[in-house]
Amino acid sequence: MTPRAIFFDLDDTLLDTSGGVQEAWQSTCAAFAPELGIEPGPLQQAIRDQLISFWKDEAAVEHWRTRLHDARRHNVALALERLGLDPAAAPRLADRYWDEQAARMRLFDDSLETLQRLRAAGFRLALLTNGPAEMQRWKLSRFPIEEHFDVIVIEGEFGRGKPDPAVFAHALERTGARPEEAWHIGDNLYADIGGARRAGIHAAWIHRDRLELGDDAPALPDRVLAHLADLREPLGL
C-alpha cells in the first residue's frame, strides 16, 4: 500500500551527525592531551572504547538519551580514570568535543530535496527524534527542515522516545493515518525499526553506506534504503 504519511528520524537519517565524530574527537584529544600528560591516540581510543561499551545495550541506558551532555561527561570521566588520569578535566573535554562535533554537522545532500518532493506530492510528514529538547531544537533552528513537517515529536518534550509505541501512535494521530498507511524511516535498528514494527508501521532502515545489518540485529526492517533517493520509485516521486 502506498502510504499517506511518512515519518523520519533526524540524526543520521536527515542530518549527518556522525560523519564528523572521529575528527571532532581527534581535534579535542589533540587539544587536551598535553595538559593531561598523554598522547592523543591512546586518549581518543580510551574514550571511544568507553562510549561503545556504554551505549551497546541501548535499552539499559535509554534514560541517558535526554541527558546526552551529562552522559558524555560521565563517560569521558570513566575513560580518564581508567587511564589513571584526573577525571576533573572531563566536563571541559566533553564540552569541547560537542563544539567540534556541532560545527561539523550538515544535512545530507538528499534530505531537503526529498522532503520538498514529498510535501509537493501531498504526503503527511512527521519528524520523530530522540534526545534532549534543547539540543534537538537547536538542530532544527540551524537547518531548514522544520517547515516541511506536520508534526515534530522530540523525546525531551514528549516525555517518551522511540521505540516506545506511544511516540508512533501520537504521530499517527496527528497525521490522520492508520498504521498500515504510514512508513517510518530511520537508521537505528533498535529505536527506529524496532519501534515502528511494534507499532504496525512499515519500517524502512537507511544505512547511508555506513551501517551493516548484522546477525544480531535487534529488529529487521521491512525495507532497506542506501539513501533517500531510493524512496523515489516506490513512492512515485
Side-chain angles (χ1 to χ4, degrees), residues 4-7 119 123-128 149-152 168-178 181-182:
R4 294 181 57 201
I6 310 289
F7 305 160
R119 290 294 282 182
F123 290 97
R124 301 282 287 173
L125 302 182
L127 182 68
L128 313 182
F149 292 101
D150 299 289
V151 57
I152 293 174
F168 298 92
H170 180 71
L172 290 169
E173 180 182 2
R174 292 289 304 276
T175 57
R178 299 189 303 271
E181 297 175 322

Side-chain angles (χ1 to χ4, degrees), residues 129-208:
T129 177
N130 288 348
E134 182 179 0
M135 179 184 293
Q136 301 308 83
R137 284 293 175 188
W138 173 82
K139 294 171 186 174
L140 293 176
S141 70
R142 179 175 172 184
F143 300 99
I145 60 173
E146 183 173 2
E147 65 188 60
H148 298 288
F149 292 101
D150 299 289
V151 57
I152 293 174
V153 186
I154 298 174
E155 181 180 17
E157 295 175 347
F158 186 66
R160 300 182 186 181
K162 300 170 295 184
D164 193 316
V167 175
F168 298 92
H170 180 71
L172 290 169
E173 180 182 2
R174 292 289 304 276
T175 57
R178 299 189 303 271
E180 62 271 20
E181 297 175 322
W183 286 13
H184 177 68
I185 302 162
D187 69 297
N188 188 294
L189 290 165
Y190 166 73
D192 292 305
I193 304 309
R197 296 208 62 177
R198 285 171 58 192
I201 294 171
H202 186 89
W205 180 59
I206 185 165
H207 57 75
R208 295 281 182 191

Side-chain angles (χ1 to χ4, degrees), residues 35-203:
E35 172 187 333
L36 294 170
I38 189 173
E39 290 297 317
L43 176 59
Q44 183 176 351
Q45 188 62 49
I47 293 172
R48 180 178 184 275
D49 290 346
Q50 172 58 37
L51 287 168
I52 290 175
S53 175
F54 181 81
W55 291 109
K56 184 176 182 179
D57 186 349
E58 295 182 69
V61 294
E62 64 180 15
H63 59 283
W64 284 96
R65 287 196 310 241
T66 55
R67 300 172 52 207
L68 291 179
H69 289 309
D70 290 340
R72 190 176 302 114
R73 293 170 182 173
H74 171 71
N75 280 285
V76 171
L78 290 177
L80 293 176
E81 287 179 344
R82 286 174 181 162
L83 290 168
L85 302 174
D86 185 2
R92 291 188 296 118
L93 198 154
D95 292 352
R96 168 66 177 267
Y97 163 78
W98 167 249
D99 291 339
E100 294 279 353
Q101 185 204 17
R104 291 170 170 81
M105 291 181 188
R106 65 177 183 86
L107 284 176
F108 286 109
D109 293 339
D110 54 6
S111 295
L112 194 56
E113 180 185 4
T114 298
L115 295 175
Q116 291 169 339
R117 283 174 178 260
L118 290 170
R119 290 294 282 182
F123 290 97
R124 301 282 287 173
L125 302 182
L127 182 68
L128 313 182
T129 177
N130 288 348
E134 182 179 0
M135 179 184 293
Q136 301 308 83
R137 284 293 175 188
W138 173 82
K139 294 171 186 174
L140 293 176
S141 70
R142 179 175 172 184
F143 300 99
I145 60 173
E146 183 173 2
E147 65 188 60
H148 298 288
F149 292 101
D150 299 289
V151 57
I152 293 174
V153 186
I154 298 174
E155 181 180 17
E157 295 175 347
F158 186 66
R160 300 182 186 181
K162 300 170 295 184
D164 193 316
V167 175
F168 298 92
H170 180 71
L172 290 169
E173 180 182 2
R174 292 289 304 276
T175 57
R178 299 189 303 271
E180 62 271 20
E181 297 175 322
W183 286 13
H184 177 68
I185 302 162
D187 69 297
N188 188 294
L189 290 165
Y190 166 73
D192 292 305
I193 304 309
R197 296 208 62 177
R198 285 171 58 192
I201 294 171
H202 186 89

